[in-house]
Amino acid sequence: MSEKLTTRAEDYSRWYNELVVRADLAEQSGVRGCMVIKPYGYAIWEKMRDYLDARFKETGHQNAYFPIFIPKSYFSKEAHHVDGFAKECAVVTHYRLKNAEDGSGIVVDPDAKLEEELIVRPTSETIIWDTYRRWIQSYRDLPILVNQWANVVRWEMRTRLFLRTAEFLWQEGHTAHATREEAIAEAQKMLDVYAEFAENIMAVPVIKGHKTENERFAGAEDTYCIEAMMQDGKALQAGTSHFLGQNFAKAFDVKYADKDNNMSYVWATSWGVSTRLMGALIMTHSDDNGLVLPPALAPIEVVMVPIYKNKEQYDILCKKMSETAAALRAEGISVKIDDDDSQKPGWKFHEYELKGVPVRLVLGPKDLEKDQYEVARRDTMTKEFMPMENIVESVKNLLNDIQKNLYNKALALRTERTYKVNTWEEFLDVINVKCGFALAPWDGTTETEEKIKELTKATIRCIPLDSVEEDGVDMLTGKPSKRRVVFAKAY
RNA sequence: CGGGGUGUAGCGUAGUCCGGUCAUCGCGCCUGCUUUGGGAGCAGGAGGUCACAGGUUCGAAUCCUGUUACCCCGACCA
């Protein structure tokens, strides 16, 4: 435990992996590509989930739950959808095991083959739209605004804790609407919910935009996304919201009768964020000393550590800290008093820094004499003394300040590493040398996009919603460009 | 899924080429005492199917085959 983390400068991806494990967030399981999310990591995910769930409900959605298994036939009804997901599906083919005849153990019973294979959901559009067909007859049944919290499975070639695992946790919203306009408005609204969550709660600045046709969700007419920049300058797609048009309604024959008794296909959206947000959180704020958590998501916002020479002091300090802790908790702040006698203060300081606890209050005999706490903040690694008298106000202000500071720091990094480029040379410099986002003109064709990806591994992260029309020329083809788009290497 | 690397106690490791008292060391863990303002010290102690499964051999951590997991590089992706 006394070993230091690999630093970001030494090896960014190794730093990430070590940090996830050492901070007790998650670890590798015995199952290929699947992780165990440990209690401390899960506590952060729960906080994310609780915030988002509340926002979904405020925006009129209800939770429901659909099966983990999808009959193969459902899955193939929407052509683009099956193309997009076929290569990464886990499939259930049998329903029984038996003892091997040669005594070598348990084997799949060949007699127990399913009539129709079941896909372990990689996403639930098909099973949900098959259900919606039965739920929707009239315009009075619309809109349907449903979300589910679930696990999904995508058989990825190469996995990384939180960023890309074969099984992951997420939420998927699936809504049905009478009109195109309403569905588009819904997709945009949920994108806003995601963006506000990312920025205000995670303290992660994001760019809202459209995906290009090429990067669009399989089966969508338009995909909106939020893109964040990690500390190494690479992009991470943090959430997506899809306008699905009538594709799934047509595939599953979901129609409604309007007021004049005309039958029309229903309009759809779907939107989701996953445990990948944990990866975004870690890679945005953490440093070489360990995790750095924004107070809004920290399972422990304040840790209190006593420093003492004997039992008598220990008792006095613990009593004092309990009073302060109670006052802080009354303000809704989560506090842990680490009164464990088996570890020394120095050990505890390192431990809570590794775990990203935003604020540490230290109380020793000297502080008690002066009626003060030593207050350390994780984001800047600085310490100061604060009078005990108004410690609750001071800590509240400090937590707010840390939350803002983390956002501002991340925004400053993104601003610093985002470059407007016009020529191919400038572009290569940004992508390969400076490692950042390139705001570049693009001729709007998939061919050019693919060519650039092939040459540089950079992809179009999004066409920002706030991009302005600007005549330019594509840096690769010289063809006319209408607006700048965001290029970057991505996770 | 292709190429390369790795797997020895909870973690990190030595030993693998050249088979034979080699299972080494550090951290952690347990007990006791002393400690406690930035990862404590001393003393004693516990802990291993050498990734897994076969094979070669009088004998395998070491050689051979297969499998599995992780890491790096590609292709795929939230």
Coordinates of all heavy atoms in Angstrom, one line a residue, chain A residues 13 28 32 156-158 164-165 168 237 276 307-308 344 346 350 353 360 364-367 383 457, chain B residues 1 11-12 26-29 35-40 68-78:
Chain A
S13 N -3.0 5.4 -19.0 CA -4.0 4.3 -18.9 C -3.6 3.3 -17.8 O -4.5 2.8 -17.1 CB -4.1 3.6 -20.3 OG -3.3 2.4 -20.3
Q28 N -11.4 -6.5 -11.4 CA -11.7 -7.5 -12.4 C -12.3 -8.7 -11.8 O -12.0 -9.1 -10.7 CB -10.3 -7.9 -13.0 CG -10.3 -8.2 -14.5 CD -10.8 -7.0 -15.3 OE1 -10.2 -5.9 -15.3 NE2 -11.9 -7.1 -16.0
R32 N -14.7 -13.0 -18.2 CA -14.1 -12.2 -19.2 C -14.8 -10.8 -19.4 O -16.0 -10.8 -19.7 CB -14.1 -12.9 -20.5 CG -14.0 -12.0 -21.7 CD -13.8 -12.9 -23.0 NE -12.5 -12.6 -23.6 CZ -11.8 -13.5 -24.1 NH1 -12.1 -14.7 -24.2 NH2 -10.6 -13.2 -24.7
E156 N -17.7 -7.0 -26.0 CA -16.7 -6.2 -26.6 C -15.4 -7.0 -26.7 O -15.1 -7.8 -25.9 CB -16.4 -5.0 -25.6 CG -17.6 -4.1 -25.5 CD -18.0 -3.3 -26.7 OE1 -17.1 -3.4 -27.7 OE2 -19.0 -2.7 -26.8
M157 N -14.6 -6.6 -27.7 CA -13.3 -7.3 -27.9 C -12.3 -7.0 -26.8 O -11.7 -7.8 -26.3 CB -12.7 -6.8 -29.2 CG -13.6 -7.1 -30.4 SD -13.8 -8.9 -30.6 CE -15.0 -9.0 -31.9
R158 N -12.3 -5.7 -26.5 CA -11.3 -5.3 -25.5 C -12.0 -4.4 -24.5 O -12.7 -3.5 -24.8 CB -10.2 -4.4 -26.2 CG -8.9 -4.5 -25.6 CD -7.9 -3.8 -26.4 NE -7.0 -3.0 -25.6 CZ -6.1 -2.2 -26.0 NH1 -6.1 -1.9 -27.3 NH2 -5.3 -1.6 -25.2
R164 N -15.4 0.4 -20.7 CA -16.0 -0.5 -21.6 C -15.9 -1.9 -21.0 O -14.9 -2.6 -21.0 CB -15.2 -0.5 -22.9 CG -15.8 -1.3 -24.1 CD -15.1 -1.2 -25.4 NE -14.9 0.2 -25.8 CZ -13.8 0.9 -25.7 NH1 -12.7 0.4 -25.4 NH2 -13.8 2.2 -26.1
T165 N -17.0 -2.4 -20.5 CA -17.1 -3.7 -19.9 C -18.1 -4.5 -20.7 O -19.0 -3.9 -21.3 CB -17.4 -3.7 -18.4 OG1 -18.5 -2.8 -18.2 CG2 -16.2 -3.2 -17.6
F168 N -22.6 -4.0 -18.4 CA -22.5 -2.7 -17.7 C -23.9 -2.3 -17.2 O -24.9 -2.8 -17.7 CB -21.9 -1.6 -18.5 CG -22.5 -1.3 -19.9 CD1 -23.4 -0.3 -20.0 CD2 -22.1 -2.0 -21.0 CE1 -24.0 0.0 -21.3 CE2 -22.6 -1.7 -22.2 CZ -23.5 -0.7 -22.4
Q237 N -17.5 10.0 -24.9 CA -18.9 10.2 -25.0 C -19.6 9.8 -23.7 O -19.5 8.7 -23.3 CB -19.4 9.2 -26.2 CG -20.9 9.3 -26.4 CD -21.3 8.5 -27.6 OE1 -20.8 8.7 -28.7 NE2 -22.2 7.6 -27.4
R276 N -20.2 4.0 -17.5 CA -19.1 4.7 -18.1 C -18.9 6.1 -17.5 O -17.8 6.6 -17.5 CB -19.4 4.8 -19.6 CG -18.3 5.4 -20.3 CD -18.6 5.5 -21.8 NE -17.5 4.8 -22.5 CZ -17.2 5.1 -23.8 NH1 -18.0 5.9 -24.5 NH2 -16.2 4.5 -24.3
I307 N -6.0 13.5 16.3 CA -4.6 13.2 16.6 C -4.3 13.4 18.1 O -4.7 14.4 18.7 CB -3.7 14.2 15.8 CG1 -3.8 14.0 14.3 CG2 -2.2 14.1 16.3 CD1 -3.1 14.9 13.5
Y308 N -3.8 12.3 18.7 CA -3.8 12.3 20.2 C -2.6 11.5 20.7 O -1.9 10.8 19.9 CB -5.1 11.6 20.7 CG -5.3 10.3 20.0 CD1 -4.9 9.1 20.5 CD2 -6.0 10.3 18.7 CE1 -5.1 7.9 19.8 CE2 -6.2 9.1 18.1 CZ -5.7 7.9 18.6 OH -5.9 6.7 17.9
K344 N -2.2 5.2 11.9 CA -1.7 6.5 12.3 C -2.3 7.6 11.4 O -2.7 7.3 10.3 CB -0.2 6.5 12.2 CG 0.5 5.6 13.2 CD 2.0 5.7 13.2 CE 2.4 7.1 13.7 NZ 3.9 7.2 13.7
G346 N -1.0 9.8 9.5 CA -0.4 9.9 8.2 C -1.0 8.9 7.2 O -1.2 9.2 6.0
H350 N -3.3 9.7 3.6 CA -3.0 9.2 2.3 C -4.2 8.4 1.8 O -4.6 8.4 0.6 CB -1.8 8.3 2.3 CG -0.5 9.0 2.3 ND1 0.1 9.5 1.2 CD2 0.2 9.5 3.4 CE1 1.2 10.1 1.5 NE2 1.3 10.2 2.8
E353 N -7.0 10.6 0.7 CA -6.6 11.3 -0.5 C -6.8 10.4 -1.7 O -7.3 10.7 -2.8 CB -5.2 11.8 -0.4 CG -5.1 13.1 0.4 CD -3.8 13.5 1.0 OE1 -2.8 12.8 0.7 OE2 -3.7 14.4 1.8
R360 N -11.0 17.3 4.5 CA -10.5 16.6 5.7 C -10.4 17.5 6.9 O -9.8 18.6 6.7 CB -9.1 15.9 5.5 CG -8.6 15.1 6.7 CD -7.2 14.5 6.4 NE -6.2 15.5 6.4 CZ -5.3 15.7 5.4 NH1 -5.3 14.8 4.4 NH2 -4.4 16.6 5.5
G364 N -6.4 18.0 16.8 CA -5.4 17.6 17.8 C -5.5 18.5 19.0 O -6.2 19.5 19.0
P365 N -4.7 18.2 20.0 CA -4.7 19.0 21.2 C -4.4 20.4 21.0 O -5.0 21.3 21.5 CB -3.5 18.3 22.0 CG -3.4 17.0 21.5 CD -3.8 17.0 20.1
K366 N -3.4 20.7 20.0 CA -3.1 22.1 19.7 C -4.3 22.9 19.2 O -4.5 24.0 19.4 CB -1.9 22.1 18.7 CG -0.6 21.6 19.2 CD 0.5 21.7 18.1 CE 1.4 20.5 18.3 NZ 2.2 20.3 17.0
D367 N -5.0 22.2 18.3 CA -6.2 22.8 17.7 C -7.3 23.1 18.7 O -7.9 24.1 18.7 CB -6.8 21.9 16.6 CG -5.7 21.5 15.6 OD1 -5.0 22.5 15.0 OD2 -5.5 20.3 15.3
K383 N -3.9 23.2 2.9 CA -4.4 23.1 4.3 C -4.5 24.5 4.9 O -3.7 25.4 4.6 CB -3.5 22.3 5.2 CG -3.4 20.9 4.8 CD -2.6 20.1 5.8 CE -1.1 20.1 5.7 NZ -0.4 19.0 6.4
K457 N -6.9 8.2 -36.8 CA -7.7 7.6 -35.7 C -8.6 8.6 -35.0 O -9.3 8.3 -34.0 CB -6.8 7.0 -34.6 CG -6.1 5.7 -35.1 CD -5.1 5.2 -34.1 CE -4.0 4.5 -34.7 NZ -2.8 4.5 -33.9
Chain B
rC1 P -13.0 -15.2 -29.9 OP1 -14.2 -15.8 -30.7 OP2 -12.1 -16.1 -29.3 O5' -12.2 -14.2 -30.9 C5' -12.4 -14.5 -32.3 C4' -11.5 -13.5 -33.1 O4' -11.8 -12.1 -32.7 C3' -10.0 -13.5 -32.8 O3' -9.4 -14.7 -33.4 C2' -9.6 -12.2 -33.5 O2' -9.6 -12.4 -34.9 C1' -10.7 -11.3 -33.1 N1 -10.2 -10.5 -31.9 C2 -9.6 -9.3 -32.2 O2 -9.4 -9.0 -33.4 N3 -9.1 -8.5 -31.2 C4 -9.3 -8.9 -29.9 N4 -8.8 -8.2 -28.9 C5 -10.0 -10.1 -29.6 C6 -10.5 -10.9 -30.6
rC11 P -3.8 -11.3 -4.7 OP1 -4.7 -11.1 -5.9 OP2 -2.9 -12.5 -4.5 O5' -3.0 -10.0 -4.4 C5' -3.6 -8.7 -4.7 C4' -2.5 -7.6 -4.5 O4' -2.1 -7.7 -3.1 C3' -1.3 -7.8 -5.3 O3' -1.4 -7.3 -6.6 C2' -0.3 -7.0 -4.5 O2' -0.5 -5.6 -4.7 C1' -0.7 -7.3 -3.1 N1 0.1 -8.5 -2.5 C2 1.4 -8.2 -2.1 O2 1.8 -7.1 -2.2 N3 2.1 -9.2 -1.6 C4 1.6 -10.5 -1.5 N4 2.4 -11.4 -1.0 C5 0.3 -10.7 -2.0 C6 -0.4 -9.7 -2.5
rG12 P -0.6 -8.0 -7.8 OP1 -1.0 -7.4 -9.0 OP2 -0.6 -9.5 -7.6 O5' 0.9 -7.5 -7.5 C5' 1.2 -6.1 -7.6 C4' 2.6 -5.9 -7.1 O4' 2.8 -6.3 -5.7 C3' 3.7 -6.7 -7.8 O3' 4.1 -6.2 -9.1 C2' 4.9 -6.6 -6.8 O2' 5.5 -5.3 -6.9 C1' 4.1 -6.7 -5.4 N9 4.1 -8.0 -4.9 C8 3.1 -9.0 -5.0 N7 3.5 -10.1 -4.5 C5 4.7 -9.9 -4.0 C6 5.6 -10.8 -3.3 O6 5.5 -12.0 -3.0 N1 6.9 -10.1 -3.0 C2 7.2 -8.8 -3.4 N2 8.4 -8.4 -3.0 N3 6.3 -8.0 -4.0 C4 5.2 -8.6 -4.3
rG26 P 12.0 -9.4 4.0 OP1 12.8 -8.8 5.1 OP2 11.1 -10.5 4.3 O5' 11.2 -8.3 3.3 C5' 11.8 -7.1 2.9 C4' 10.9 -6.2 2.1 O4' 10.5 -6.9 0.9 C3' 9.5 -5.9 2.8 O3' 9.6 -4.9 3.8 C2' 8.7 -5.6 1.6 O2' 8.9 -4.2 1.2 C1' 9.2 -6.6 0.6 N9 8.3 -7.8 0.6 C8 8.6 -9.0 1.2 N7 7.7 -9.9 1.1 C5 6.7 -9.2 0.4 C6 5.4 -9.7 -0.1 O6 4.9 -10.8 0.1 N1 4.7 -8.7 -0.8 C2 5.2 -7.4 -1.0 N2 4.4 -6.6 -1.6 N3 6.4 -7.0 -0.6 C4 7.1 -7.9 0.1
rC27 P 8.6 -4.9 5.0 OP1 9.0 -3.8 5.9 OP2 8.5 -6.3 5.5 O5' 7.2 -4.6 4.4 C5' 6.9 -3.3 3.9 C4' 5.5 -3.3 3.2 O4' 5.6 -4.3 2.1 C3' 4.3 -3.7 4.0 O3' 3.8 -2.6 4.8 C2' 3.3 -4.0 2.9 O2' 2.8 -2.9 2.2 C1' 4.3 -4.8 1.9 N1 4.2 -6.3 2.2 C2 3.1 -7.0 1.8 O2 2.2 -6.4 1.2 N3 3.0 -8.3 2.0 C4 4.0 -8.9 2.7 N4 3.9 -10.2 2.9 C5 5.2 -8.2 3.2 C6 5.2 -6.9 2.9
rG28 P 3.2 -2.9 6.2 OP1 2.8 -1.6 6.8 OP2 4.1 -3.8 7.0 O5' 1.9 -3.8 5.8 C5' 0.8 -3.2 5.3 C4' -0.2 -4.2 4.8 O4' 0.4 -5.2 4.0 C3' -0.8 -5.1 6.0 O3' -1.9 -4.4 6.6 C2' -1.2 -6.3 5.2 O2' -2.4 -6.1 4.5 C1' -0.1 -6.5 4.2 N9 1.0 -7.3 4.7 C8 2.3 -6.9 5.1 N7 3.0 -7.9 5.5 C5 2.2 -9.0 5.4 C6 2.4 -10.4 5.7 O6 3.4 -10.9 6.2 N1 1.3 -11.2 5.5 C2 0.1 -10.7 5.0 N2 -0.9 -11.6 4.8 N3 -0.2 -9.4 4.7 C4 0.9 -8.7 4.9
rC29 P -2.1 -4.7 8.2 OP1 -3.3 -3.9 8.6 OP2 -0.8 -4.5 8.9 O5' -2.5 -6.2 8.2 C5' -3.7 -6.7 7.7 C4' -3.8 -8.2 7.9 O4' -2.7 -8.9 7.3 C3' -3.6 -8.6 9.4 O3' -4.8 -8.4 10.1 C2' -3.2 -10.1 9.3 O2' -4.3 -10.9 9.0 C1' -2.3 -10.0 8.0 N1 -0.8 -9.8 8.4 C2 -0.1 -10.9 8.9 O2 -0.7 -12.0 9.0 N3 1.2 -10.8 9.2 C4 1.8 -9.6 9.0 N4 3.1 -9.5 9.3 C5 1.1 -8.5 8.5 C6 -0.2 -8.6 8.2
rU35 P 5.1 5.1 24.7 OP1 5.7 6.2 25.4 OP2 3.6 4.8 24.8 O5' 5.4 5.3 23.1 C5' 4.7 6.3 22.4 C4' 4.9 6.1 20.9 O4' 4.5 4.7 20.6 C3' 4.0 6.9 20.1 O3' 4.7 8.2 19.8 C2' 3.9 6.1 18.8 O2' 5.1 6.3 18.0 C1' 3.9 4.7 19.3 N1 2.5 4.2 19.5 C2 1.7 4.0 18.4 O2 2.1 4.2 17.3 N3 0.4 3.5 18.7 C4 -0.1 3.2 19.9 O4 -1.2 2.8 20.0 C5 0.8 3.4 21.0 C6 2.0 3.9 20.8
rU36 P 3.8 9.5 20.1 OP1 4.8 10.6 20.0 OP2 3.0 9.3 21.3 O5' 2.9 9.6 18.8 C5' 3.4 9.5 17.5 C4' 2.3 9.3 16.5 O4' 1.5 8.2 16.9 C3' 1.3 10.5 16.5 O3' 0.9 10.8 15.2 C2' 0.1 10.0 17.3 O2' -1.1 10.6 16.9 C1' 0.1 8.5 17.0 N1 -0.5 7.7 18.1 C2 -1.6 7.0 17.7 O2 -2.1 7.0 16.6 N3 -2.2 6.3 18.7 C4 -1.8 6.2 20.0 O4 -2.4 5.5 20.8 C5 -0.6 7.0 20.3 C6 0.0 7.7 19.3
rG37 P 2.0 11.3 14.1 OP1 2.3 10.1 13.3 OP2 3.1 12.1 14.8 O5' 1.1 12.3 13.2 C5' 0.5 13.4 13.8 C4' 0.7 14.6 12.9 O4' -0.1 15.6 13.4 C3' 2.1 15.1 12.9 O3' 2.4 15.6 11.6 C2' 2.1 16.2 14.0 O2' 3.0 17.3 13.7 C1' 0.7 16.7 13.8 N9 0.0 17.2 15.0 C8 0.4 17.1 16.4 N7 -0.5 17.8 17.1 C5 -1.4 18.3 16.3 C6 -2.5 19.1 16.6 O6 -3.0 19.5 17.6 N1 -3.2 19.5 15.4 C2 -2.8 19.1 14.1 N2 -3.5 19.6 13.1 N3 -1.7 18.4 13.9 C4 -1.1 18.0 15.0
rG38 P 3.2 14.9 10.5 OP1 4.3 14.1 11.1 OP2 3.5 15.9 9.5 O5' 2.1 13.9 9.9 C5' 2.3 12.5 9.9 C4' 2.5 12.0 8.5 O4' 1.5 12.5 7.7 C3' 3.8 12.5 7.9 O3' 4.3 11.4 7.0 C2' 3.4 13.6 7.0 O2' 4.2 13.8 5.8 C1' 2.0 13.2 6.6 N9 1.1 14.2 6.2 C8 0.9 15.4 6.9 N7 0.0 16.2 6.3 C5 -0.5 15.4 5.2 C6 -1.4 15.7 4.2 O6 -2.1 16.7 4.1 N1 -1.5 14.7 3.3 C2 -0.8 13.5 3.3 N2 -1.0 12.7 2.4 N3 0.1 13.2 4.3 C4 0.2 14.2 5.2
rG39 P 4.9 10.1 7.7 OP1 5.3 10.2 9.2 OP2 5.9 9.7 6.7 O5' 3.7 9.1 7.7 C5' 3.2 8.7 6.4 C4' 2.4 7.5 6.6 O4' 1.7 7.3 5.3 C3' 3.2 6.2 6.9 O3' 2.3 5.4 7.6 C2' 3.3 5.6 5.5 O2' 3.4 4.2 5.6 C1' 2.0 6.0 4.8 N9 2.0 6.1 3.4 C8 2.9 6.5 2.4 N7 2.4 6.5 1.2 C5 1.1 6.1 1.4 C6 0.1 5.9 0.4 O6 0.1 6.0 -0.8 N1 -1.1 5.5 1.0 C2 -1.2 5.3 2.4 N2 -2.4 4.9 2.8 N3 -0.3 5.4 3.3 C4 0.8 5.8 2.7
rA40 P 2.8 5.1 9.2 OP1 2.2 3.8 9.6 OP2 2.5 6.4 9.9 O5' 4.4 5.0 9.0 C5' 5.1 3.8 9.4 C4' 5.8 4.1 10.7 O4' 4.9 4.4 11.7 C3' 6.5 2.8 11.2 O3' 7.8 2.7 10.6 C2' 6.7 3.1 12.7 O2' 7.8 3.9 13.0 C1' 5.4 3.9 13.0 N9 4.3 3.1 13.6 C8 3.1 2.8 13.1 N7 2.4 2.1 13.9 C5 3.2 2.0 15.1 C6 3.0 1.4 16.3 N6 1.9 0.7 16.6 N1 4.0 1.4 17.2 C2 5.1 2.1 16.9 N3 5.4 2.7 15.7 C4 4.4 2.6 14.9
rU68 P -10.1 -20.2 -23.8 OP1 -11.5 -20.0 -24.2 OP2 -9.0 -19.8 -24.6 O5' -9.9 -19.6 -22.3 C5' -10.8 -19.9 -21.3 C4' -10.3 -19.3 -20.0 O4' -9.0 -20.0 -19.7 C3' -9.9 -17.9 -20.0 O3' -11.0 -17.0 -19.9 C2' -9.0 -17.8 -18.8 O2' -9.7 -17.9 -17.6 C1' -8.2 -19.1 -19.0 N1 -7.0 -18.9 -19.8 C2 -5.9 -18.4 -19.1 O2 -5.9 -18.1 -18.0 N3 -4.7 -18.2 -19.9 C4 -4.6 -18.5 -21.3 O4 -3.5 -18.3 -21.8 C5 -5.8 -19.0 -21.9 C6 -6.9 -19.2 -21.1
rA69 P -11.0 -15.6 -20.5 OP1 -12.4 -15.1 -20.5 OP2 -10.3 -15.6 -21.8 O5' -10.2 -14.7 -19.5 C5' -10.7 -14.5 -18.2 C4' -9.6 -13.9 -17.3 O4' -8.5 -14.9 -17.3 C3' -9.0 -12.7 -17.9 O3' -9.8 -11.5 -17.6 C2' -7.6 -12.7 -17.1 O2' -7.8 -12.3 -15.8 C1' -7.3 -14.1 -17.2 N9 -6.5 -14.5 -18.4 C8 -6.9 -15.0 -19.6 N7 -5.9 -15.2 -20.5 C5 -4.8 -14.7 -19.8 C6 -3.5 -14.7 -20.2 N6 -3.0 -15.1 -21.4 N1 -2.6 -14.2 -19.3 C2 -3.0 -13.8 -18.1 N3 -4.3 -13.8 -17.6 C4 -5.1 -14.3 -18.5
rC70 P -9.7 -10.3 -18.6 OP1 -10.8 -9.4 -18.2 OP2 -9.6 -10.7 -20.0 O5' -8.4 -9.6 -18.2 C5' -8.2 -9.0 -16.9 C4' -6.8 -8.7 -16.6 O4' -6.0 -9.9 -16.8 C3' -6.1 -7.7 -17.7 O3' -6.4 -6.4 -17.3 C2' -4.7 -8.0 -17.5 O2' -4.1 -7.5 -16.3 C1' -4.7 -9.5 -17.3 N1 -4.6 -10.3 -18.6 C2 -3.3 -10.4 -19.2 O2 -2.3 -10.0 -18.5 N3 -3.1 -11.1 -20.3 C4 -4.2 -11.5 -21.0 N4 -4.0 -12.2 -22.1 C5 -5.5 -11.4 -20.5 C6 -5.7 -10.7 -19.3
rC71 P -6.5 -5.3 -18.5 OP1 -7.1 -4.1 -18.0 OP2 -7.1 -5.9 -19.7 O5' -5.0 -5.1 -18.9 C5' -4.1 -4.4 -17.9 C4' -2.7 -4.4 -18.5 O4' -2.2 -5.7 -18.7 C3' -2.6 -3.8 -19.9 O3' -2.6 -2.4 -19.9 C2' -1.3 -4.4 -20.4 O2' -0.2 -3.7 -19.8 C1' -1.4 -5.8 -19.9 N1 -2.0 -6.7 -20.8 C2 -1.2 -7.3 -21.8 O2 0.0 -6.9 -21.9 N3 -1.7 -8.1 -22.7 C4 -3.0 -8.5 -22.6 N4 -3.4 -9.4 -23.5 C5 -3.8 -8.0 -21.6 C6 -3.3 -7.1 -20.7
rC72 P -3.3 -1.6 -21.1 OP1 -3.3 -0.2 -20.7 OP2 -4.5 -2.3 -21.6 O5' -2.1 -1.8 -22.2 C5' -0.9 -1.2 -22.1 C4' 0.0 -1.5 -23.2 O4' 0.3 -2.9 -23.2 C3' -0.6 -1.3 -24.6 O3' -0.5 0.1 -25.0 C2' 0.3 -2.2 -25.5 O2' 1.5 -1.6 -25.7 C1' 0.4 -3.4 -24.6 N1 -0.7 -4.4 -24.9 C2 -0.5 -5.3 -25.9 O2 0.5 -5.2 -26.6 N3 -1.4 -6.2 -26.2 C4 -2.5 -6.3 -25.4 N4 -3.4 -7.2 -25.7 C5 -2.7 -5.4 -24.3 C6 -1.8 -4.5 -24.1
rC73 P -1.6 0.7 -25.9 OP1 -1.4 2.1 -26.0 OP2 -3.0 0.2 -25.5 O5' -1.3 0.0 -27.3 C5' 0.0 0.2 -28.0 C4' 0.1 -0.5 -29.3 O4' 0.1 -1.9 -29.0 C3' -1.2 -0.4 -30.1 O3' -1.2 0.8 -30.8 C2' -1.0 -1.6 -31.0 O2' -0.1 -1.4 -32.1 C1' -0.5 -2.6 -30.1 N1 -1.6 -3.4 -29.5 C2 -2.1 -4.6 -30.2 O2 -1.5 -4.8 -31.3 N3 -3.1 -5.3 -29.8 C4 -3.7 -5.0 -28.6 N4 -4.7 -5.8 -28.2 C5 -3.2 -3.9 -27.8 C6 -2.2 -3.1 -28.3
rG74 P -2.6 1.4 -31.4 OP1 -2.3 2.6 -32.1 OP2 -3.7 1.3 -30.4 O5' -2.9 0.3 -32.5 C5' -4.0 0.4 -33.4 C4' -4.0 -0.7 -34.3 O4' -3.5 -1.9 -33.7 C3' -5.4 -1.1 -34.8 O3' -5.9 -0.3 -35.8 C2' -5.3 -2.6 -35.1 O2' -4.8 -2.8 -36.4 C1' -4.3 -3.0 -34.0 N9 -5.0 -3.5 -32.8 C8 -5.0 -2.9 -31.6 N7 -5.7 -3.5 -30.7 C5 -6.2 -4.6 -31.3 C6 -7.1 -5.6 -30.9 O6 -7.6 -5.7 -29.8 N1 -7.4 -6.5 -31.9 C2 -7.0 -6.4 -33.2 N2 -7.4 -7.3 -34.0 N3 -6.2 -5.4 -33.6 C4 -5.8 -4.6 -32.7
rA75 P -7.1 0.6 -35.7 OP1 -7.1 1.7 -36.7 OP2 -7.3 1.0 -34.2 O5' -8.3 -0.4 -36.0 C5' -8.5 -0.8 -37.4 C4' -9.4 -2.0 -37.4 O4' -8.7 -3.1 -36.6 C3' -10.7 -1.8 -36.7 O3' -11.7 -1.3 -37.5 C2' -11.1 -3.3 -36.3 O2' -11.5 -4.0 -37.4 C1' -9.7 -3.8 -35.9 N9 -9.4 -3.5 -34.4 C8 -8.6 -2.6 -33.9 N7 -8.5 -2.5 -32.6 C5 -9.5 -3.5 -32.2 C6 -10.0 -3.9 -31.0 N6 -9.5 -3.4 -29.8 N1 -10.9 -4.8 -31.0 C2 -11.4 -5.3 -32.2 N3 -11.0 -5.0 -33.4 C4 -10.1 -4.1 -33.4
rC76 P -12.8 -0.2 -36.9 OP1 -13.6 0.2 -38.0 OP2 -12.1 0.8 -36.1 O5' -13.6 -1.1 -35.9 C5' -14.6 -2.0 -36.4 C4' -15.4 -2.5 -35.3 O4' -14.5 -3.2 -34.3 C3' -16.1 -1.5 -34.4 O3' -17.4 -1.1 -35.0 C2' -16.3 -2.3 -33.1 O2' -17.3 -3.2 -33.2 C1' -15.0 -3.0 -33.0 N1 -14.0 -2.2 -32.2 C2 -13.9 -2.4 -30.8 O2 -14.7 -3.2 -30.3 N3 -13.0 -1.7 -30.1 C4 -12.2 -0.8 -30.7 N4 -11.4 -0.1 -29.9 C5 -12.3 -0.6 -32.1 C6 -13.1 -1.3 -32.8
rC77 P -17.9 0.4 -34.7 OP1 -19.2 0.6 -35.4 OP2 -16.8 1.4 -34.9 O5' -18.2 0.4 -33.1 C5' -19.4 0.0 -32.6 C4' -19.4 -0.2 -31.1 O4' -18.0 -0.6 -30.8 C3' -19.6 1.1 -30.3 O3' -21.0 1.4 -30.1 C2' -18.9 0.7 -29.0 O2' -19.7 -0.1 -28.2 C1' -17.7 -0.1 -29.5 N1 -16.5 0.7 -29.6 C2 -15.8 1.1 -28.4 O2 -16.3 0.8 -27.3 N3 -14.7 1.9 -28.5 C4 -14.2 2.2 -29.7 N4 -13.0 2.9 -29.7 C5 -14.8 1.7 -30.9 C6 -15.9 1.0 -30.8
rA78 P -21.5 2.9 -29.9 OP1 -22.7 3.0 -30.6 OP2 -20.5 3.9 -30.3 O5' -21.7 3.1 -28.4 C5' -22.8 3.9 -27.9 C4' -22.4 4.5 -26.6 O4' -22.5 3.5 -25.6 C3' -21.0 5.0 -26.6 O3' -20.9 6.4 -26.2 C2' -20.2 4.2 -25.6 O2' -19.5 4.9 -24.7 C1' -21.3 3.4 -24.8 N9 -21.0 2.1 -24.6 C8 -20.9 1.1 -25.5 N7 -20.6 -0.1 -25.0 C5 -20.3 0.2 -23.7 C6 -19.9 -0.6 -22.6 N6 -19.6 -1.9 -22.8 N1 -19.7 0.0 -21.4 C2 -20.0 1.3 -21.3 N3 -20.4 2.1 -22.2 C4 -20.5 1.5 -23.4

